[in-house]
Amino acid sequence: MLNLHLYMAQRLTALIMAPLVIGHLAVMIYAVQGGLSVAEILARTQGSLAWFLFYGSFVLAVSIHAAIGMRVIMFEWLGIKGTLLSLISWGVCLLLLMLGGRAVWAVTFAGAGA
Amino acid sequence: MSETGEFLQVSIWREQDGNGHFESFQVPRRDNQTILDVVAWVQQQADPTLSYRFACRVGMCGSCAMMVNGAPRWTCRTHVQKVADDNRLEIAPLRNLPVIKDLAVDMDPFFDKWVAAEAVFEPSQTRDDPMPPINPQDPMRIAASDAIECINCAVCYAACDVVAANPDYLGPAALNRAWSLVNDSRDDGQDARLKAVSGGGGCHNCHVQQGCARYCPNELNPTLSISGLKRATAKSLLGWGQ
């Protein structure tokens, strides 16, 4: 159930995710190899606009990309269509955006003033 | 053809008015026997009420496609020895199309989608204009040639899991034809065609599983054509031309 616009949105978000995933893996390996503690990691991320933009754009891309993929699966495998399909797709997108956004906010700006 | 003394155990789908079941027949096995030979033997020797469709018998007309042991085949050019499983054959109507009776399917949805995909030549000139020269080495002409030998047999349509899951999907054959026309420099219907293949049942639904390419009897690759359409529509959307 993909039209051209949904197809392009999914491909473009994949393009955005690819370097961000590599960056995330590199950060994880660096953090583990260097033996950084949670406090040391948070010290680097708290108040950082760069990390907020890095993981914020990742969450945004994932939310759009995954919701479109789920839309196809729901249509082809579960037979959901029409308005219900659009509502659930938007629901998936907003849920991922909320969960991911909350996590990104927590490690960047939520405790920045503390 | 000489008989081998062996028999084929053939299950053939019988259906009328929406009620269907497999019926078993014993058919003498012969050398160089095609699936269409088997179906014809059943109709001529065992049950004259069996309905099926064929015309040319030489792989040109695309009329005789059926499901054979679960896979779509052009039956006039498919030898029993290639597909029989221990002398057993299961012959059924083409997948993804409504059955009219027994092995004959209604091809209307298949051809309706050719029209819906704007897979019809739109001339840019009249018959009074001179014939435009086309270089055989032109990349567009080469791309068109790769897609042009379709015989409309609907084997790819039956092989496609996306068609099975999404009845609105235009299908590999219609999209393959649309791609050959996108590469036809004489055609004047490109905007309408790219729009037609960009909707909810368009080329972007293809999962690139390549069932169409695997089973196409003429060894075409509709998946490649559909990928071409995806590129052309994306470029058109981004304003990069085709």
Side-chain angles (χ1 to χ4, degrees):
Chain A
M1 195 39 150
L2 284 186
N3 59 29
L4 174 59
H5 291 98
L6 289 171
Y7 171 86
M8 290 300 286
Q10 201 176 31
R11 265 45 184 189
L12 290 173
T13 50
L15 273 177
I16 293 168
M17 281 194 298
L20 295 178
V21 167
I22 293 170
H24 175 63
L25 290 173
V27 167
M28 282 205 310
I29 291 167
Y30 170 77
V32 170
Q33 298 272 331
L36 290 179
S37 67
V38 172
E40 287 168 330
I41 292 171
L42 284 175
R44 287 164 167 76
T45 60
Q46 290 290 353
S48 168
L49 181 65
W51 284 120
F52 175 79
L53 290 176
F54 182 90
Y55 280 108
S57 54
F58 182 66
V59 164
L60 184 63
V62 165
S63 304
I64 295 169
H65 189 88
I68 295 171
M70 289 296 292
R71 177 186 169 88
V72 173
I73 294 169
M74 288 187 291
F75 176 75
E76 292 190 3
W77 287 82
L78 303 178
I80 300 170
K81 55 185 85 167
T83 308
L84 183 62
L85 181 64
S86 294
L87 282 175
I88 299 176
S89 303
W90 275 108
V92 170
C93 180
L94 293 173
L95 181 69
L96 290 171
L97 198 58
M98 192 185 74
L99 293 173
R102 194 164 163 261
V104 172
W105 186 255
V107 296
T108 52
F109 289 115
Chain B
M1 288 191 291
S2 65
E3 296 197 15
T4 62
E6 294 178 45
F7 283 88
L8 294 163
Q9 306 299 323
V10 184
S11 292
I12 296 182
W13 185 255
R14 307 303 304 270
E15 180 170 337
Q16 193 161 12
D17 301 326
N19 298 311
H21 64 279
F22 278 104
E23 188 174 346
S24 297
F25 297 91
Q26 274 204 330
V27 179
R29 174 124 194 208
R30 302 171 192 268
D31 293 331
N32 301 319
Q33 189 176 25
T34 67
I35 301 299
L36 188 61
D37 291 334
V38 171
V39 176
W41 187 95
V42 170
Q43 200 259 345
Q44 290 166 10
Q45 307 294 331
D47 187 344
T49 67
L50 176 66
S51 298
Y52 64 105
R53 188 185 284 127
F54 75 98
C56 75
R57 298 183 294 180
V58 291
M60 291 178 68
C61 73
S63 302
C64 68
M66 301 170 198
M67 302 300 291
V68 182
N69 285 356
R73 305 279 183 192
W74 55 352
T75 58
C76 69
R77 297 287 298 273
T78 301
H79 280 247
V80 168
Q81 64 186 14
K82 181 184 171 188
V83 293
D85 179 13
D86 193 24
N87 275 345
R88 291 181 184 279
L89 288 173
E90 183 186 277
I91 303 173
L94 270 185
R95 181 172 171 244
N96 296 337
L97 287 164
V99 176
I100 297 173
K101 182 176 177 292
D102 300 336
L103 300 172
V105 293
D106 182 359
M107 298 284 281
D108 275 357
F110 176 74
F111 288 113
D112 286 347
K113 287 179 178 179
W114 280 58
V115 178
E118 296 284 344
V120 180
F121 179 64
E122 300 288 349
S124 56
Q125 295 178 305
T126 70
R127 67 180 63 193
D128 300 319
D129 293 314
M131 287 278 280
I134 295 179
N135 182 354
Q137 304 307 319
D138 183 88
M140 284 177 69
R141 173 63 225 189
I142 291 171
S145 294
D146 287 342
I148 213 164
E149 292 294 340
C150 175
I151 58 171
N152 320 341
C153 64
V155 160
C156 60
Y157 193 83
C160 179
D161 285 343
V162 180
V163 174
N166 180 358
D168 293 333
Y169 180 49
L170 294 169
L175 293 170
N176 180 72
R177 174 63 181 156
W179 175 240
S180 70
L181 288 169
V182 165
N183 287 291
D184 191 332
S185 58
R186 305 164 304 156
D187 188 280
D188 196 27
Q190 303 303 354
D191 289 345
R193 186 167 298 117
L194 292 182
K195 190 177 174 190
V197 301
S198 296
C203 62
H204 307 97
N205 291 276
C206 172
H207 293 325
V208 201
Q209 289 172 302
Q210 305 195 60
C212 52
R214 179 176 176 189
Y215 289 106
C216 175
N218 275 342
E219 298 181 349
L220 304 185
N221 189 346
T223 310
L224 195 65
S225 299
I226 293 167
S227 298
L229 286 176
K230 288 175 179 173
R231 283 197 307 276
T233 51
K235 286 179 181 174
S236 177
L237 181 72
L238 297 170
W240 294 349
Q242 285 173 26

